[in-house]
Amino acid sequence: MTQNIKIRKGVDIKLVGTPAETVSVAKRSKTYAVKPPDFVGLTPKLKVKEGETVQAGSSLFYDKKKESVQYASPVSGKVSAIVRGAKRRILAVIVEADASDTYIDHGALDISKSSSEEILNRILEGGMFPFFRQIPFDVVADPSDSPRSIHISGFDSSPLAGSSCSSLEGRVEDFQNGINALAKIAGEGGVHLGVKPGCNVFGSVTGCTKTEFSGPHPAGNVGVQIHNTMPVNKGEVVWTIGYQDVANIGSLLSSGKYMPTKVVACGGSECANPQHVSALVGAEVQSLTEIPEEASNGDSVRIISGSVLTGEKVEKDGHLGAYHIGLALIPEGNESRFLLSNGWLSLGLDRFSMSKSYLSWLRPKSKEYTLDTNLGGEERAFVVTGEYEKVFPFDIYPVHLLKSILVNDIDAMEKLGIYEVSPEDFALCEYVCTSKVPVQQIVREGLDTLRNELG
Amino acid sequence: MKFVKNIIESVKPHFEEGGKLSKFWVVFDSLETFAFTPGHVTHNGSHIRDGIDLKRTMFTVIVALLPALLFGTWNIGDQYYASIGQDAELIDKVFIGLHKVLPLIVVSYGVGLGIEFLFAGMRNHSINEGFLVSGMLIPLIMPVDVPLWMVAISVSFAVIIGKEVFGGTGMNIVNVALTSRAFLFFAYPKQMSGEIWIHNVGAAKDAGALVDGHTGATALGHLAGTVGKAMDSVEVTGIMSLFAEGGMFSLHNCIIGNIPGSIGETSVIAIAIGALVLIVSGIASWRIMASFLAGGLVMGALFNLMGMNAYMTIDPAHQIVMGGFMFGMVFMATDPVTAASTNTGKYIYGFFAGFFSIMIRVFNPAYPEGVMMAILFMNVMAPLIDHYVIQANINRRLKRLQTT
């Protein structure tokens, strides 16, 4: 019997440009990028130089602090650039792709007969380990930890999200292999899969505890699912991984090859052809979908790798982020707004708002909105109370936790439950905030402070 | 609106750093952002944002205040003509009302915003919108004939001592509007208990033009006169008859609001419309309003049971429609900055604020307006309530850790 948990707090923001169910295959991108900043907590140490040829699965760099964690090239080709930012921080390793891939062959592994150590080592050397993240701190997991349990959210509930049925079409066997492998390396808590009621793609999957989560976003956030089933206590470590990455682990172990496929949901009001596109991790965004001409000057269309609530702004020639399974194109909102026509005194029929102070709440719930990137106001002190609580399905007081982070009170952060949250869980708080507080950034800083403090 | 935008853009350089008028940047910035929501965009985190901002929030509260303001304006004139026994047209009553209300609004906003600009300039930050609401609340809780200079002083006190010393909007401990009222009450007790609740009532009395029964006192002022006197004395029964059906302060009249009192507080119907706006839009907490109401009714019912003096025998439903109870419940107790911030805390906070409102007014005739005292007291207690609510959450988490 699958347990069903109803998430009552949250909101589904309906945006124009929902991706169609169809899955097309992206054209092969000219270059692929592995971007160290995608992996929180990573201190990269390069293993390749510019101009070197690599195979698909070759390690490009590894983590200085966790040396066994390898970051692999998704394709074979030539390292064309190592992009550095301030203080020579490595921002990206760019690989110019060959016409077709040659792989490093790790050989197939019989999961049922292998030990957990063998499986973990294969995941590490095969380059799939960085896709594990851990709670607390929402950073790349540490292979020397033994996780209490491993959690997978089987669906994305964010705006413009893709469908897991489309994304996993034909990959259920890989997914099952991945689950079998995770079951070996998970601790006593086992492997947990959160599924959406009515989604049949996981129907045949065994070897994990399935829980149904219904309700609005953030029901699909793995942090929400963990909190509502097996909350993380101080001292415990759990690992999380995306459902597509589970299938990629399955394929790595059964084929011996690193083929990090992602089915990316491309959508948004500026996206000409909203649909699912299958590509490799790190592909150029323009290989996934047509980028409108206006985007080239960079001030009329925002290209977001990932979800509109948590993703990262990329340029037209940018690359897909490692954890991202969405690509959104929405208008920039850099025009100022006159108070009566579309500013703060307008009727606001086109302004989606959690509060009902704009008249858009009178429109049908299914109405899709075109939202842009305008802040919609200026940053202010915390004034309104109770609004975060409406979209934050945790037994945690979000504003008080944020305030404890702002005053850097580590003891209070611990007590108020910082070990259970990741920035993405606060994305809707940031969305609804009247005072336009950069909530996710504050949570990230709090997690980093605590991580440094605890060594 | 390109035209206005162009003008703003053309004068902008003068106000920017290095410009001739850079000292007035705060003023310029607040006017510019008042007219045009800036084209600021998100950078990371959530790329889309809710359409609401603090300006809209405050504006919604102003909209919710309009029924009370309009009714109060009419009521000033209505009370005036009733007290001298003359019939008058609607327009005449409204005219008298505007004649009294507009100067109050101008003084309240003028003084309050002036101080806000000054502090924002000193601290070099932009103007927060908090005073947009406070500036409208203050006239509505003033007696009609309060001297304007007193209003100016009380607003200055409230904004500086009540808010700015704590760091401005969002940081204050007690409600700004109530602080100004409390300041008036304690600084000028003689004037505040005088004949200022109906326009010109003092002069009319001296001239002998006053209609019988119109003493210019409010419902609570009358009731305070019953305390300490025998329930069956002539004086008390006389006062209590005002509250019976057909009396000046009958339940019916208290709900309609055509009685003397602070400008915005008298009409329960007008306030209820405002409450509806605030609850539907989600701007103010229904939790606080509901528990406040419950607190007042419970206290009123307890007094009924005790029945030790005439004041206590008033029906709870009648208690809560008199004085500033309703206005305080909808517009004062719900101020998010000074109320409890946790949802559980809001129930506790609201309940006790309502409870004490009725208790203070009945127990202490020196403070007929118990609502003000009760809310200010609970403002101070709100952080304590939140502390215990949050401590319970922390304990829950610790307990979970111990059981696993």
Side-chain angles (χ1 to χ4, degrees):
Chain A
M1 203 21 214
T2 317
Q3 197 192 351
N4 185 311
I5 291 178
K6 183 151 177 59
I7 302 295
R8 290 175 197 282
K9 294 173 175 178
V11 58
D12 283 324
I13 303 165
K14 300 234 167 37
L15 297 182
V16 172
T18 314
E21 295 281 310
T22 50
V23 183
S24 72
V25 178
K27 57 177 193 266
R28 192 167 168 84
S29 169
K30 282 198 200 81
T31 64
Y32 287 79
V34 184
K35 300 184 277 187
D38 286 355
F39 304 95
V40 184
L42 162 70
T43 318
K45 180 87 182 153
L46 283 174
K47 288 175 95 171
V48 291
K49 290 195 186 79
E50 266 181 49
E52 212 170 296
T53 42
V54 291
Q55 284 180 294
S58 296
S59 175
L60 298 176
F61 52 88
Y62 62 92
D63 191 343
K64 236 179 196 172
K65 291 178 197 148
K66 298 171 252 184
E67 291 189 5
S68 56
V69 184
Q70 305 293 326
Y71 294 78
S73 170
V75 290
S76 64
K78 196 177 82 178
V79 177
S80 61
I82 290 164
V83 185
R84 287 177 188 271
K87 296 185 184 168
R88 295 186 48 75
R89 180 166 174 249
I90 303 166
L91 298 182
V93 177
I94 313 276
V95 180
E96 209 176 286
D98 294 339
S100 63
D101 287 322
T102 54
Y103 291 93
I104 289 188
D105 193 354
H106 299 284
L109 196 69
D110 186 342
I111 297 165
S112 59
K113 287 181 191 146
S114 312
S115 69
S116 66
E117 209 162 76
E118 283 170 313
I119 291 172
L120 191 60
N121 281 338
R122 175 58 54 84
I123 293 175
L124 280 164
E125 66 191 18
M128 274 311 294
F129 192 83
F131 294 93
F132 284 109
R133 281 187 284 181
Q134 70 164 52
I135 292 180
F137 307 135
D138 189 37
V139 293
V140 178
D142 184 339
S144 62
D145 280 334
S146 41
R148 179 197 76 184
S149 47
I150 296 178
H151 295 259
I152 306 142
S153 171
F155 64 103
D156 184 358
S157 57
S158 61
L160 301 174
S163 118
S164 22
C165 292
S166 303
S167 308
L168 277 185
E169 205 180 302
R171 301 200 70 198
V172 176
E173 198 186 329
D174 281 340
F175 186 83
Q176 180 66 62
N177 283 335
I179 291 283
N180 295 344
L182 297 188
K184 290 243 172 179
I185 54 181
E188 284 172 20
V191 180
H192 295 260
L193 177 64
V195 298
K196 190 171 165 176
C199 176
N200 300 321
V201 68
F202 299 111
S204 62
V205 172
T206 56
C208 58
T209 312
K210 279 186 260 186
T211 312
E212 281 187 351
F213 290 92
S214 52
H217 184 60
N221 276 13
V222 72
V224 172
Q225 299 179 357
I226 296 171
H227 182 81
N228 285 283
T229 49
M230 310 169 70
V232 179
N233 292 311
K234 186 183 176 183
E236 288 176 336
V237 174
V238 305
W239 289 359
T240 67
I241 187 166
Y243 65 91
Q244 299 199 24
D245 299 320
V246 175
N248 290 336
I249 287 183
S251 83
L252 168 71
L253 297 177
S254 58
S255 70
K257 292 170 186 163
Y258 177 64
M259 288 185 283
T261 311
K262 294 265 172 139
V263 174
V264 180
C266 301
S269 58
E270 307 305 302
C271 181
N273 184 15
Q275 60 166 341
H276 294 71
V277 178
S278 168
L280 288 173
V281 165
E284 288 174 9
V285 289
Q286 53 192 351
S287 73
L288 298 170
T289 190
E290 197 186 322
I291 308 285
E293 267 312 304
E294 309 93 271
S296 53
N297 56 21
D299 59 1
S300 65
V301 176
R302 169 80 55 101
I303 308 169
I304 302 160
S305 168
S307 136
V308 289
L309 289 176
T310 57
E312 181 197 352
K313 176 185 175 181
V314 292
E315 299 305 318
K316 196 184 177 190
D317 56 357
H319 298 80
L320 192 68
Y323 297 114
H324 296 153
I325 53 171
L327 182 71
L329 303 178
I330 59 171
E332 285 282 6
N334 43 13
E335 291 275 312
S336 57
R337 298 156 176 209
F338 181 62
L339 80 163
L340 293 176
S341 53
N342 50 4
W344 59 279
L345 278 182
S346 62
L347 294 176
L349 284 169
D350 289 317
R351 291 190 133 188
F352 181 77
S353 176
M354 266 295 273
S355 87
K356 289 176 179 151
S357 68
Y358 289 101
L359 291 185
S360 54
W361 68 277
L362 293 170
R363 306 187 91 160
K365 278 222 157 93
S366 56
K367 151 95 183 154
E368 291 179 335
Y369 292 86
T370 302
L371 299 186
D372 61 27
T373 62
N374 192 285
L375 262 183
E378 300 129 280
E379 195 171 334
R380 289 289 183 255
F382 283 108
V383 169
V384 180
T385 61
E387 58 176 353
Y388 290 5
E389 283 83 350
K390 289 181 192 158
V391 293
F392 190 68
F394 287 79
D395 183 22
I396 286 173
Y397 286 101
V399 176
H400 297 89
L401 178 55
L402 286 174
K403 287 184 176 172
S404 72
I405 294 171
L406 287 172
V407 298
N408 213 4
D409 182 344
I410 288 172
D411 186 44
M413 288 185 224
E414 284 192 341
K415 284 181 175 166
L416 290 169
I418 197 169
Y419 292 118
E420 303 175 48
V421 296
S422 357
E424 66 167 10
D425 300 325
F426 282 86
L428 279 173
C429 297
E430 183 166 295
Y431 171 79
V432 301
C433 187
T434 302
S435 298
K436 313 295 172 192
V437 175
V439 176
Q440 293 187 78
Q441 188 189 327
I442 295 171
V443 175
R444 182 76 263 165
E445 282 161 13
L447 291 169
D448 290 345
T449 309
L450 205 60
R451 191 160 50 94
N452 292 335
E453 202 67 29
L454 299 178
Chain B
M1 278 305 126
K2 208 71 189 159
F3 165 68
V4 182
K5 184 77 200 158
N6 287 343
I7 295 179
I8 292 180
E9 286 301 327
S10 68
V11 297
K12 198 171 187 171
H14 297 302
F15 292 96
E16 279 170 343
E17 206 151 330
K20 276 182 288 188
L21 301 168
S22 63
K23 272 187 191 148
F24 297 100
W25 166 253
V26 179
V27 180
F28 173 80
D29 180 58
S30 67
L31 291 179
E32 187 196 5
T33 58
F34 187 86
F36 291 92
T37 304
H40 296 165
V41 292
T42 55
H43 296 290
N44 45 24
S46 182
H47 295 264
I48 53 173
R49 296 298 179 90
D50 197 292
I52 195 160
D53 66 350
L54 209 51
K55 285 189 175 73
R56 182 72 179 191
T57 307
M58 296 300 174
F59 170 68
T60 310
V61 184
I62 301 267
V63 169
L65 281 167
L66 286 181
L69 174 68
L70 296 177
F71 183 89
T73 308
W74 171 82
N75 192 41
I76 292 170
D78 187 56
Q79 290 302 314
Y80 171 67
Y81 285 112
S83 72
I84 54 172
Q86 284 182 16
D87 274 337
E89 296 294 318
L90 176 73
I91 185 81
D92 293 327
K93 295 178 180 176
V94 172
F95 182 77
I96 296 268
L98 289 176
H99 169 69
K100 295 308 297 178
V101 171
L102 286 180
L104 279 173
I105 295 179
V106 169
V107 168
S108 163
Y109 274 122
V111 173
L113 285 179
I115 295 171
E116 289 251 332
F117 276 112
L118 205 68
F119 273 88
M122 268 161 54
R123 297 199 177 118
N124 206 17
H125 65 53
S126 47
I127 302 268
N128 272 222
E129 289 80 2
F131 197 76
L132 287 183
V133 168
S134 307
M136 183 58 86
L137 284 173
I138 289 171
L140 292 183
I141 54 173
M142 289 294 165
V144 185
D145 270 357
V146 61
L148 291 176
W149 63 268
M150 281 191 201
V151 177
I153 292 179
S154 66
V155 170
S156 324
F157 176 83
V159 174
I160 296 172
I161 306 295
K163 182 159 91 169
E164 292 301 339
V165 293
F166 294 105
T169 301
M171 318 290 178
N172 45 312
I173 312 280
V174 290
N175 186 294
V176 177
L178 280 181
T179 308
S180 78
R181 180 71 156 70
F183 177 81
L184 268 187
F185 185 83
F186 288 108
Y188 307 104
K190 196 149 167 267
Q191 289 88 333
M192 287 301 278
S193 59
E195 291 154 336
I196 51 175
W197 301 97
I198 298 179
H199 176 48
N200 242 358
V201 73
K205 193 193 247 172
D206 295 343
L210 210 59
V211 176
D212 273 355
H214 282 268
T215 63
T218 62
L220 300 180
H222 280 291
L223 283 170
T226 67
V227 177
K229 292 174 186 138
M231 274 173 80
D232 50 2
S233 66
V234 180
E235 200 185 350
V236 170
T237 46
I239 291 173
M240 293 310 284
S241 70
L242 292 175
F243 294 84
E245 203 153 327
M248 188 180 182
F249 300 109
S250 66
L251 187 62
H252 176 268
N253 284 358
C254 288
I255 288 175
I256 302 288
N258 51 344
I259 52 172
S262 300
I263 293 166
E265 75 176 16
T266 57
S267 172
V268 175
I269 293 173
I271 294 167
I273 297 171
L276 200 68
V277 171
L278 291 179
I279 291 176
V280 168
S281 63
I283 297 294
S285 166
W286 61 266
R287 291 181 174 86
I288 293 177
M289 292 190 209
S291 57
F292 193 100
L293 192 67
L297 289 173
V298 166
M299 189 72 246
L302 285 177
F303 277 144
N304 274 188
L305 287 179
M306 292 183 220
M308 280 144 60
N309 61 25
Y311 210 152
M312 288 189 181
T313 58
I314 289 180
D315 190 66
H318 205 156
Q319 277 279 16
I320 60 164
V321 295
M322 288 189 295
F325 188 90
M326 283 289 168
F327 194 84
M329 172 179 97
V330 175
F331 297 109
M332 298 292 180
T334 51
D335 170 10
V337 176
T338 54
S341 63
T342 56
N343 283 342
T344 319
K346 281 173 184 163
Y347 289 119
I348 303 170
Y349 161 88
F351 183 85
F352 282 107
F355 191 85
F356 289 138
S357 295
I358 304 295
M359 184 196 269
I360 294 171
R361 74 157 68 141
V362 173
F363 275 174
N364 194 340
Y367 300 142
E369 202 40 283
V371 180
M372 169 181 83
M373 311 304 295
I375 295 175
L376 286 174
F377 177 70
M378 290 312 289
N379 282 166
V380 176
M381 289 297 136
L384 187 70
I385 298 171
D386 282 337
H387 172 81
Y388 282 108
V389 171
I390 289 167
Q391 200 56 46
N393 176 273
I394 291 171
N395 291 342
R396 219 160 34 238
R397 195 166 292 110
L398 285 177
K399 207 169 161 194
R400 191 179 76 203
L401 177 61
Q402 280 152 10
T403 51
T404 49

